[in-house]
Amino acid sequence: MSKILNILFLISLLFVSIENSGKKLEKDVGVFTRLPDNKMPKEFQDYMLWVQKMNHKFNLAEPESEEFYKLMHELFNYQIGEKSVIRNPVTVVEPNHVKMGKNSIIMNNALLMASGGIEIGDCTMVAAHAKLISNDHDLYDRSILTMLPIKIGNHVWVGAGATILKGVTVGDHAIIGGGSVVTKDVPPYAVVVGNPAKVVKYLDPEKFEGIEF
């Protein structure tokens, strides 16, 4: 009897593993397996198609118009904070994983690869042509999509054309130099530049006292 139960248990595990194909594999390291698009669940395919269409409509909206803000909040699942804005045009994948605090801005022509999650704090500026990429692929098995969140703090300035890769946390008040490629965490008040980006100086915290954002 015990042998039969063990066999049934193993069979149940097999079905669970098949059922979870395309879902998260290793929570701690952010590794996911995804099937080819034509084999993904229909709900996910429908969502990705909806994102493409909404992204297109948003990019054609007149800046600062009522339609612009309506489409922006709908596209980003109403997770854009008060007085924050994402300028069009923008290219975004899985915008439901993008969250912004208050008084922050992402300028035109940004690329937001948000499968792993992108979180931006308050009063942060992301300049034009920046790229926030929270996912990539396994070097050998390209069907494996690896994801780790990008977290950008408060009062951060991301320079034009900068790239921030998956798993990076940027501390409060830091500056990412234009065109830099950030592969590692950036401490608060640090100024980083280059490819890969390195710390070149630290800002004086006392000089921020009394400044209103």
Side-chain angles (χ1 to χ4, degrees):
M1 184 69 177
S2 61
K3 289 183 178 180
I4 294 174
L5 290 174
N6 287 335
I7 291 172
L8 290 174
F9 177 72
L10 291 173
I11 291 173
S12 68
L13 287 180
L14 175 61
F15 277 109
V16 168
S17 66
I18 293 172
E19 182 182 353
N20 288 336
S21 179
K23 296 182 180 180
K24 197 170 185 179
L25 287 180
E26 298 177 33
K27 182 177 180 181
D28 293 339
V29 296
V31 176
F32 296 71
T33 296
R34 282 201 174 159
L35 298 170
D37 288 345
N38 62 352
K39 294 184 179 180
M40 291 298 295
K42 187 177 185 302
E43 294 80 4
F44 185 80
Q45 294 184 53
D46 290 345
Y47 169 69
M48 295 300 282
L49 179 59
W50 178 86
V51 168
Q52 292 181 59
K53 292 181 176 180
M54 280 293 296
N55 201 157
H56 179 70
K57 288 175 65 175
F58 174 64
N59 287 341
L60 294 177
E62 180 181 351
E64 299 300 323
S65 65
E66 182 177 342
E67 180 190 26
F68 169 88
Y69 283 103
K70 178 179 180 297
L71 290 171
M72 181 189 74
H73 286 294
E74 188 175 353
L75 176 61
F76 289 94
N77 199 32
Y78 303 94
Q79 297 181 125
I80 307 301
E82 182 181 1
K83 296 183 179 179
S84 288
V85 63
I86 298 175
R87 298 289 183 203
N88 58 358
V90 63
T91 301
V92 59
V93 175
E94 297 197 59
N96 57 319
H97 295 157
V98 176
K99 296 181 180 180
M100 290 178 67
K102 300 180 294 184
N103 300 307
S104 291
I105 185 169
I106 297 177
M107 291 299 293
N108 314 74
N109 295 297
L111 171 62
L112 308 177
M113 301 290 289
S115 296
I118 297 173
E119 184 175 337
I120 297 172
D122 300 335
C123 305
T124 283
M125 304 184 301
V126 179
H129 296 277
K131 302 175 185 66
L132 309 182
I133 303 173
S134 66
N135 51 270
D136 59 17
H137 295 269
D138 182 83
L139 294 178
Y140 298 97
D141 186 348
R142 310 287 167 81
S143 68
I144 294 179
L145 191 64
T146 60
M147 311 177 195
L148 287 170
I150 291 172
K151 297 182 180 181
I152 300 175
N154 305 315
H155 308 286
V156 174
W157 178 10
V158 179
T163 299
I164 300 177
L165 299 181
K166 75 178 195 298
V168 168
T169 295
V170 180
D172 295 347
H173 296 280
I175 295 177
I176 311 299
S180 299
V181 178
V182 184
T183 61
K184 297 180 180 179
D185 289 355
V186 178
Y189 298 98
V191 178
V192 300
V193 298
N195 181 7
K198 297 180 179 180
V199 177
V200 294
K201 66 179 293 184
Y202 283 90
L203 302 174
D204 183 353
E206 293 184 359
K207 292 187 177 180
F208 286 98
E209 294 178 5
I211 297 178
E212 295 185 7
F213 291 91

